[in-house]
Amino acid sequence: MKPEELVDLERGRVHMHAYTDADVFREEMRRIFYKTWVFVAHDSEIGVSGDYRTTSIGQVPVIVTRDEDGEVHVMVNRCAHRGTTVCQREKGNANFFKCEYHGWVYNNRGDLTGVSLRRGYSEGELAHSRIGLQRLPRVETYGGLVFASLDPNVGSLSDHLGLAKPYIDDWNRQTPDGVLEVQAGGSYRFEYNGNWKLQAENNTEGYHPDFLHQEAVRVQIFNSRRARAAAGKPDAPRRPTRIAAMESNGLDLGNGHNLVETPQVSVLLKKRYPAQYLDDMARAYGVEAVDSLIGPPWRLNVFPNLALGGSNVRVIQPLAANRTMVRQYFVDVPTAPEAVRALRRDQEQGFYGQAGYGGPDDVEMFERMQEGFASADADVLDPWLLFNRQLESEERTPEGALVADSTSEITQRAVYRAWYAQMSAGRERP
Ligand code: FES
Ligand SMILES: [Fe+2]
């Protein structure tokens, strides 16, 4: 199916086949994941020479390394001999990778440095300069976030990130000295039977929390009342906070990037932070800025595979039209006081993870949606999903973003505007 048959931007609708069709999935790999900038690592994960981490760009397994000169390389995790992956671990430190099948060896720049039983090959057949782990042609970093692209002609990362950059800058100002450590304590990884776009849509969706996550909020209130009772403090019953009742915006930042922000979250969080720490933040960034830095009170979706929250990084890895892996990393602030670190840990663990009260609810919804999409081939049924809430209310900001209420589905429309642009690039328009 053509992009215009799958996404109807004018009416804010998406066809179910966009989530179920194997050909659409293959096109998404070629036209989106193998064309644009894809997040591969945070600087802190490859902090010293020899550090590496493995990940994927779409369906291409890659290794991200820091070599002896401190330079970052991203190379395809695929032996030049017969295609075996040469590194299976998620993270580590090594100056070479050895393929287990026939023993070929590569350095951490991807060069082939050793071939077993070499005499079986004629002179020049294995010119080391040509054969190796293929390096990705473009690797760039912004604000500690390392991105790579398979397309040598892709525009600059800076242009691609565009209006998302100020938020990435703020993300790096969560502590007075700006030190963040991603994946401290490992990652939380899950797979679900559903399309990758379901997670991309959900990352910044402001419509569902008041409904889907009501139980999670009630449990949080119950736990805090119990903790107060245990500490001998007076009871403080409160009703669940409703996002729809707060000032809360959704923004389409262009290129598929989008954001949901709820400034009041910062105000609530500030009450729980040590006063000295807030003073240090004010000294580092100015009193005015602190309100937008604590938390921070937003979640940013960087299309196509990354979401940044205050205390986590979420990475989407598409596996098939109906199968997706998501990895979520806790973001620690190692130089901050223990009280701040503990608060962040509690928030993260309370909502996400196998024992979290909120995250698993979202994943359950993804699988229920994909179950509903199984009906997509029944031609007599209406195949369109609706993303048209408050479509008419979007307004242009002075910076050039589009803004509307966070419950308006503007952040999902942002994803599909970029999806449509990239899936139809270079094709004849209808
Ligand atoms: S497949 Fe890697 S050495 Fe043969
Ligand atoms: Fe959610």
Side-chain angles (χ1 to χ4, degrees):
M1 287 175 83
K2 297 191 185 105
E4 60 271 20
E5 293 167 332
L6 294 165
V7 168
D8 174 357
L9 293 177
E10 251 161 58
R11 294 178 63 183
R13 305 187 307 172
V14 178
H15 195 291
M16 286 180 195
H17 277 148
Y19 303 82
T20 59
D21 190 315
D23 289 336
V24 171
F25 180 81
R26 213 168 292 124
E27 282 288 282
E28 288 175 335
M29 294 304 105
R30 291 200 189 107
R31 291 178 170 270
I32 299 175
F33 282 84
Y34 305 159
K35 279 280 174 201
T36 189
W37 289 101
V38 175
F39 172 78
V40 291
H42 184 260
D43 253 343
S44 66
E45 297 179 274
I46 43 165
V48 300
S49 291
D51 277 359
Y52 69 84
R53 73 146 304 139
T54 54
T55 184
S56 288
I57 294 182
Q59 307 231 284
V60 177
V62 297
I63 315 174
V64 187
T65 64
R66 188 177 297 278
D67 72 16
E68 285 58 43
D69 300 325
E71 203 181 324
V72 176
H73 303 275
V74 181
M75 59 199 76
V76 180
N77 187 4
R78 185 177 75 183
C79 181
H81 181 219
R82 298 259 192 89
T84 313
T85 55
V86 299
C87 181
Q88 284 70 44
R89 296 181 63 165
E90 190 171 0
K91 278 183 74 167
N93 186 285
N95 53 13
F96 70 91
F97 300 99
K98 182 178 154 204
C99 178
E100 295 293 343
Y101 201 1
H102 311 94
W104 287 22
V105 176
Y106 305 87
N107 66 20
N108 61 8
R109 296 183 185 88
D111 308 315
L112 178 66
T113 55
V115 173
S116 44
L117 302 181
R118 199 186 166 82
R119 63 189 174 281
Y121 292 98
S122 52
E123 196 62 33
E125 204 171 346
L126 295 179
H128 286 200
S129 56
R130 280 192 295 110
I131 297 184
L133 302 177
Q134 271 182 278
R135 273 193 290 270
L136 267 69
R138 301 289 298 276
V139 180
E140 288 182 24
T141 300
Y142 185 86
L145 306 170
V146 184
F147 292 80
S149 178
L150 283 155
D151 181 2
N153 301 316
V154 70
S156 74
L157 175 64
S158 179
D159 285 351
H160 170 69
L161 293 175
L163 294 174
K165 284 187 292 185
Y167 294 98
I168 297 173
D169 296 343
D170 275 1
W171 190 72
N172 281 297
R173 294 189 193 111
Q174 293 184 60
T175 63
D177 60 7
V179 176
L180 302 179
E181 193 180 332
V182 171
Q183 213 193 148
S187 66
Y188 164 47
R189 190 166 94 165
F190 59 87
E191 290 187 21
Y192 61 86
N193 292 320
N195 189 267
W196 67 276
K197 297 188 291 300
L198 297 173
Q199 178 70 78
E201 289 164 18
N202 166 274
N203 281 335
T204 48
E205 212 233 65
Y207 191 9
H208 76 282
D210 283 348
F211 310 99
L212 180 63
H213 298 312
Q214 274 304 287
E215 280 312 306
V217 175
R218 268 192 263 276
V219 170
Q220 277 167 347
I221 292 174
F222 174 81
N223 283 345
S224 84
R225 289 177 71 182
R226 197 169 55 173
R228 287 181 74 87
K233 294 182 182 168
D235 192 14
R238 60 185 167 94
R239 293 157 72 90
T241 322
R242 292 180 70 83
I243 290 185
M246 291 195 255
E247 183 207 336
S248 182
N249 294 317
L251 282 102
D252 174 349
L253 300 170
N255 294 343
H257 315 318
N258 59 83
L259 179 115
V260 60
E261 61 177 359
T262 311
Q264 207 175 324
V265 167
S266 259
V267 179
L268 296 172
L269 272 177
K270 261 172 71 179
K271 291 183 187 156
R272 302 171 66 190
Y273 272 54
Q276 179 63 50
Y277 188 72
L278 295 174
D279 285 350
D280 292 346
M281 286 290 285
R283 243 189 308 281
Y285 305 116
V287 180
E288 301 281 288
V290 175
D291 273 355
S292 59
L293 297 177
I294 294 295
W298 47 256
R299 178 179 281 282
L300 172 69
N301 223 357
V302 181
F303 189 76
N305 75 326
L306 170 70
L308 295 182
S311 54
N312 59 57
V313 166
R314 187 183 284 160
V315 184
I316 302 174
Q317 188 180 323
L319 300 176
N322 59 359
R323 187 81 179 161
T324 303
M325 182 170 86
V326 177
R327 283 169 296 157
Q328 186 156 323
Y329 307 114
F330 175 60
V331 179
D332 194 12
V333 284
T335 53
E338 176 53 27
V340 172
R341 299 175 73 188
L343 192 62
R344 292 168 63 94
R345 276 199 303 271
D346 287 352
Q347 272 184 317
E348 183 73 8
Q349 287 169 351
F351 199 84
Y352 301 105
Q354 298 90 326
Y357 299 119
D361 292 343
D362 291 296
V363 181
E364 176 65 21
M365 291 307 111
F366 304 159
E367 297 208 335
R368 290 187 192 180
M369 290 162 87
Q370 198 77 27
E371 269 174 39
F373 303 161
S375 63
D377 288 332
D379 293 337
V380 293
L381 302 178
D382 181 357
W384 293 100
L385 310 176
L386 305 180
F387 294 91
N388 54 358
R389 189 175 151 71
Q390 296 180 0
L391 176 58
E392 308 301 326
S393 72
E394 295 182 3
E395 287 176 15
R396 188 71 62 183
T397 69
E399 294 78 24
L402 286 169
V403 64
D405 188 80
S406 74
T407 65
S408 70
E409 297 179 334
I410 184 175
T411 48
Q412 291 75 56
R413 291 192 286 275
V415 167
Y416 285 102
R417 284 168 184 147
W419 187 94
Y420 182 83
Q422 294 184 30
M423 291 291 278
S424 53
R427 291 181 199 254
E428 249 173 59
R429 297 295 168 97

